[in-house]
Amino acid sequence: ITHKQAAMMRFSGKSVCVHRVLQSVSVARCMPQRSASSAGKAKAKAKPAYTLNVNNAVDKKFETLCFADLIKQSPSALQGLTDDADIYLVGLNITTIKDLATWKAAHTAQAIVALAPFEEANGRDAASESNLNHGLDKTWETKSLQEILKAPVTAIQGVPARAGPKLAQLNINTVGDLGEWKYLKLAQALVFCATKENKTHGSH
């Protein structure tokens, strides 16, 4: 647009500021133009050639999901768990893989499993203050870790008596069974991996 054209636009009644019109034209000319070919190259950029996978941990239809979406699926998405498992677990407010991984009662069981091998038989000092009263049913609060391992899974606070028979269908009968349950470990591993995932596939 020339000075003459701008003046004509103003003369014709259009509220156009000559200075701003000329300024915008000048800026447009100075801005670098991205070619169609460079834009196409950016869009065509491929993902890195990953080889990692968890195919033997999840059902086939979930194999291509990112970790963040995978942990939103029901527990039966884990290979080896059936739809019945979802029904058994929903009574414990567990509806997703992430729910399973963050289940507080299961964390209590895992802690007992981890610490029991380090317990000294009849070795508690009378001055000791350690206890698991906020994690166990009252009946089991004074028992040794080895005894608690063999206790019914309902000995853990947060696992009601009505859940016992349902968990038994998943081969979870004792506190030790829950603490070592492979699907719990898988769920926790997937949730952790989701925290390390980059949605844009960029490197750190």
Side-chain angles (χ1 to χ4, degrees):
I1 299 175
T2 64
H3 286 275
K4 182 177 180 181
Q5 289 173 322
M8 289 176 66
M9 290 170 68
R10 183 179 58 183
F11 181 77
S12 63
K14 295 180 180 179
S15 57
V16 180
C17 174
V18 176
H19 175 70
R20 288 185 177 176
V21 170
L22 294 175
Q23 186 180 53
S24 64
V25 172
S26 176
V27 170
R29 286 175 179 170
C30 293
M31 289 179 64
Q33 298 299 310
R34 188 178 182 184
S35 66
S37 60
S38 63
K41 289 179 181 178
K43 289 182 179 180
K45 186 177 180 181
K47 291 186 294 186
Y50 299 122
T51 56
L52 68 84
N53 67 81
V54 291
N55 294 355
N56 291 328
V58 300
D59 288 342
K60 190 168 183 62
K61 65 180 179 180
F62 302 109
E63 289 178 359
T64 60
L65 292 183
C66 65
F67 290 122
D69 287 338
L70 183 55
I71 63 176
K72 297 175 184 176
Q73 307 305 312
S74 61
S76 61
L78 297 174
Q79 200 173 115
L81 286 184
T82 66
D83 292 340
D84 287 340
D86 295 335
I87 297 172
Y88 301 146
L89 293 170
V90 72
L92 295 164
N93 296 317
I94 298 172
T95 59
T96 67
I97 291 174
K98 183 177 181 179
D99 290 339
L100 176 57
T102 56
W103 185 20
K104 291 182 180 180
H107 291 180
T108 300
Q110 286 181 316
I112 293 169
V113 167
L115 293 174
F118 299 95
E119 184 176 60
E120 181 183 352
N122 301 313
R124 182 178 174 107
D125 192 300
S128 179
E129 298 287 347
S130 59
N131 66 80
L132 290 172
N133 293 358
H134 285 316
L136 298 172
D137 182 80
K138 189 173 180 63
T139 304
W140 295 92
E141 289 177 356
T142 60
K143 304 297 183 181
S144 69
L145 294 177
Q146 291 293 339
E147 290 175 303
I148 297 169
L149 275 182
K150 300 172 186 176
V153 67
T154 52
I156 300 177
Q157 283 189 25
V159 183
R162 58 182 168 76
K166 295 180 179 178
L167 291 175
Q169 296 297 314
L170 300 174
N171 295 316
I172 301 173
N173 296 291
T174 67
V175 171
D177 291 339
L178 177 56
E180 295 176 334
W181 198 40
K182 71 174 184 178
Y183 298 107
L184 173 62
K185 296 176 182 178
L186 277 176
Q188 291 171 335
L190 292 171
V191 167
F192 177 79
C193 286
T195 68
K196 302 302 179 182
E197 193 167 55
N198 189 326
K199 291 182 179 180
T200 64
H201 301 283
S203 299
H204 179 65

